[in-house]
Amino acid sequence: WPSGPREFTGTMFGFADAYAKIVYDVRPGQQVSLSMLAGRSAIDEHDEQTRYDFGDGTNQTAVVNVAWRSMLGSGLVLRQRAYVVAHGFLNKDRAEDYGGRGADREASYRADLARAVPGGVLEAGGQVQRARGSRHAIGDAVVFGSSWSRSAYMHATWSPVPRLTLAPGARVADSTLSTSRPVS
């Protein structure tokens, strides 16, 4: 073992996050909720490196989700959700110059209906989503993009006898990033 103080070489990584959720029964059959999640991670490289090698980086993300659940008569449930996600990162080299940075934003709305039927459940729903992002690379090259996506589904679960369950369904989606509309 060497004598005297020893210098640390390696990679240090750390993260922290926080979560909060509030649920409120507005009246019988009506419930609203709000949840928030935020986190930050960081990496600090301590190995022997050249001036332009990766030095440290940070990553931050936050999500806010609002939901409303409604009982509409006997056996019919409507669930609606809207959420926003924000994400950003920053990388630096050993000389503390920017090695890259970026940010993403996403907003989405989703609605689902579920109805109890004799021997099963019928479900249907849809979602619309908007995403935007940018990347700033070394040399200040900027890449920016945005997209829309939409999807809808229908699903049934039926158990005619206790040991048999049938579960057919269909889903269709489209996006401004693709010319095809996948159906499954």
Side-chain angles (χ1 to χ4, degrees):
W1 295 99
S3 61
R6 184 173 170 197
E7 184 178 316
F8 173 78
T9 60
T11 302
M12 293 176 50
F13 175 75
F15 68 93
D17 60 14
Y19 177 73
K21 183 174 183 176
I22 297 170
V23 178
Y24 179 69
D25 291 328
V26 178
R27 60 179 185 252
Q30 302 288 317
Q31 186 181 74
V32 66
S33 66
L34 171 69
S35 62
M36 294 174 274
L37 173 64
R40 182 177 192 273
S41 62
I43 188 167
D44 191 1
E45 185 66 55
H46 288 282
D47 286 332
E48 296 291 327
Q49 298 176 337
T50 68
R51 177 186 202 279
Y52 299 104
D53 287 335
F54 178 74
D56 63 18
T58 57
N59 184 15
Q60 298 180 45
T61 303
V63 180
V64 176
N65 185 43
V66 177
W68 187 282
R69 186 186 72 197
S70 304
M71 299 289 292
L72 307 171
S74 64
L76 181 61
V77 178
L78 171 63
R79 289 191 176 125
Q80 301 177 80
R81 287 179 216 110
Y83 68 84
V84 176
V85 178
H87 165 250
F89 71 91
L90 173 64
N91 297 329
K92 292 183 180 180
D93 63 22
R94 300 301 298 162
E96 295 292 315
D97 291 328
Y98 293 117
R101 65 179 184 230
D104 302 297
R105 304 287 182 265
E106 181 179 303
S108 184
Y109 170 77
R110 178 180 175 130
D112 298 287
L113 276 170
R115 173 137 183 104
V117 295
V121 176
L122 290 175
E123 297 174 278
Q127 179 171 335
V128 62
Q129 183 176 37
R130 170 80 164 154
R132 302 176 76 183
S134 65
R135 299 287 182 269
H136 300 265
I138 297 172
D140 288 330
V142 177
V143 177
F144 176 81
S146 65
S147 66
W148 283 93
S149 62
R150 296 164 293 274
S151 63
Y153 76 95
M154 184 175 279
H155 180 257
T157 304
W158 181 54
S159 296
V161 294
R163 297 185 134 202
L164 176 65
T165 299
L166 303 173
R171 182 175 189 276
V172 63
D174 85 344
S175 170
T176 56
L177 297 174
S178 173
T179 58
S180 67
R181 284 198 173 127
V183 176
S184 58

